[in-house]
Amino acid sequence: MTSLARALPIGSVTRATVTGGAPTRGRGAITRRVLDAAALSRGDRVTLADLFDRLGPEGLGLALLLLTLPTLIPVPGPIGMTFGTLIAFVALQVMVGRRVLWLPAILRRRTLPGSVLRGVIARALPGLSYAERWLREGRLAPLAGRRAGIVLAIPLLLLAAAIILPIPLGNYAPALALIAFSLGFMARDGAAVLVALLLGVAALVWTGVLFLTGAALLDHLLGLVGW
């Protein structure tokens, strides 16, 4: 991941590089916001306060995106638990209808490795650019509004819980659904939010299957050793 970040420094990623120069309506707004956030990660460490204080009016959706992307890293450790908890914190703020992300002091002081954040964003940029081709502001507008967000915070919390669970390779489906939610919120595209909701239901079902399968396998193994 670090080598990828070095190979693709954020300063060298221009808007034209990301979007390919195609004049698609609405394309580029999300990637510009992501690049602006990535510009804060030039140092070795970046604090959550520095990152989220500059997210602007789209802070909740962008925070959801930036917190979800690292959960796609296939490395051992508490990544799922750490970022899943932060995602749940954002979902709770969506539930109460906040427009700007609030962080308690204990979280504002937390830092993230700048190289990891740059690498994650570098890997995500082509996919984000492609997704923006299909986003249209104003489609099914009520689904992307503030009132809908309060209701949709429930599946966001469930998906965050799914990421927290220590299931091998179990982060991918919930993470993809959360990314779709974040894009829909940022673009105010209700159709994208509807797709995200369908992906979320499928992800939760898949997580349940993985959990039950793992539990049954563990029970079988314990039976073989006589426990």
Side-chain angles (χ1 to χ4, degrees):
M1 185 64 66
T2 303
S3 60
L4 175 60
R6 291 174 178 170
L8 186 57
I10 292 301
S12 68
V13 183
T14 64
R15 185 181 307 171
T17 301
V18 174
T19 63
T24 305
R25 176 186 172 188
R27 190 178 178 191
I30 292 175
T31 49
R32 285 198 302 270
R33 294 177 190 137
V34 173
L35 285 171
D36 288 342
L40 301 175
S41 65
R42 294 181 183 275
D44 292 334
R45 310 289 299 186
V46 56
T47 67
L48 291 179
D50 288 339
L51 187 61
F52 292 139
D53 283 351
R54 304 188 191 184
L55 294 184
E58 307 299 335
L60 290 173
L62 184 53
L64 185 62
L65 176 64
L66 294 177
L67 292 174
T68 301
L69 289 176
T71 66
L72 294 172
I73 303 174
V75 297
I79 288 181
M81 180 174 294
T82 300
F83 285 95
T85 301
L86 290 172
I87 292 168
F89 185 79
V90 172
L92 287 173
Q93 298 194 54
V94 173
M95 181 176 290
V96 299
R98 287 191 63 89
R99 295 182 181 275
V100 179
L101 181 66
W102 174 81
L103 290 175
I106 190 172
L107 290 180
R108 292 179 63 82
R109 293 192 296 267
R110 294 291 298 271
T111 63
L112 301 174
S115 61
V116 171
L117 184 60
R118 290 193 299 272
V120 167
I121 290 175
R123 291 185 62 180
L125 284 176
L128 293 177
S129 179
Y130 179 79
E132 282 185 305
R133 301 181 186 183
W134 307 100
L135 296 173
R136 296 291 183 274
E137 184 176 350
R139 287 191 302 190
L140 301 179
L143 289 178
R146 187 180 181 188
R147 292 182 179 179
I150 294 173
V151 176
L152 292 170
I154 297 175
L156 294 181
L157 281 171
L158 293 175
L159 290 168
I163 287 178
I164 292 173
L165 291 175
I167 301 176
L169 303 179
N171 287 355
Y172 291 104
L176 290 176
L178 286 167
I179 290 172
F181 270 117
S182 68
L183 295 177
F185 291 150
M186 293 171 66
R188 297 186 180 92
D189 186 344
V193 172
L194 181 59
V195 171
L197 184 59
L198 297 175
L199 289 174
V201 171
L204 292 173
V205 171
W206 177 243
T207 300
V209 170
L210 290 177
F211 182 80
L212 293 176
T213 301
L217 180 61
L218 179 61
D219 183 66
H220 177 69
L221 292 175
L222 292 177
L224 291 178
V225 297
W227 282 25

